[in-house]
Amino acid sequence: MHHASCLCGAVTFEVTGDLPCGDGCHCVNCRKSTGHFLASVDLPRNRVTITGEDNVTWYHSSKKVRRGFFKKCGATLFFDPLFQDWIGLSLGAFDGPTNTTLNLYTYTAQKGDYYELEDHIEQHLEPPVG
Ligand SMILES: [Zn+2]
């Protein structure tokens, strides 16, 4: 079981079981919504319990994706592809050890010019196919 929350604690979520490896998305939308890039883990919805979801504001950044944040403290929390059965959870929101690591970078063609990517993490200019 892993526990996570927004900065002020009004929104919390829990994940049953271990976290999978995470990915870092460097697309312009993720960079602008997070202030850097989005480090997240993707989980089947049935393993995620959100408490205080009434406090989440959903911003539709495209026709297929909405992003959830708490407008009071500004925390970026959820990346929710509307037509999929999984949801992306911000790794920075987790309390305590996550016991996971990033193993994939996506949209690296759109990354900022002020930081370098770590070579040991698989890189894709766009998301990997499949
Ligand atoms: Zn992205």
Side-chain angles (χ1 to χ4, degrees):
M1 179 78 89
H2 291 273
H3 182 266
S5 75
C6 67
L7 177 57
C8 71
V11 181
T12 64
F13 52 96
E14 286 182 336
V15 176
T16 55
D18 292 337
L19 298 180
C21 284
D23 56 77
C25 185
H26 302 264
C27 81
V28 171
N29 283 356
C30 285
R31 293 202 294 113
K32 288 191 180 282
S33 77
T34 63
H36 188 29
F37 67 88
L38 179 63
S40 62
V41 282
D42 301 336
L43 281 143
R45 286 170 199 275
N46 61 15
R47 285 182 55 198
V48 181
T49 304
I50 301 172
T51 303
E53 192 169 355
D54 289 355
N55 292 319
V56 177
T57 297
W58 294 100
Y59 173 72
H60 290 253
S61 56
S62 75
K63 286 189 176 128
K64 294 179 182 170
V65 171
R66 62 178 190 164
R67 294 165 188 264
F69 64 97
F70 183 37
K71 67 181 179 185
K72 200 165 169 184
C73 67
T76 299
L77 299 170
F78 307 113
F79 178 92
D80 187 15
L82 296 174
F83 307 108
Q84 306 286 333
D85 59 2
W86 57 271
I87 186 167
L89 308 172
S90 293
L91 274 166
F94 283 90
D95 299 308
T98 60
N99 296 315
T100 187
T101 186
L102 300 182
N103 74 343
L104 180 69
Y105 283 145
T106 56
Y107 285 104
T108 56
Q110 297 180 27
K111 86 171 199 56
D113 65 357
Y114 61 91
Y115 60 93
E116 298 302 323
L117 299 175
E118 294 179 73
D119 289 336
H120 67 277
I121 297 175
E122 188 178 324
Q123 299 180 17
H124 292 267
L125 295 176
E126 303 286 328
V129 176

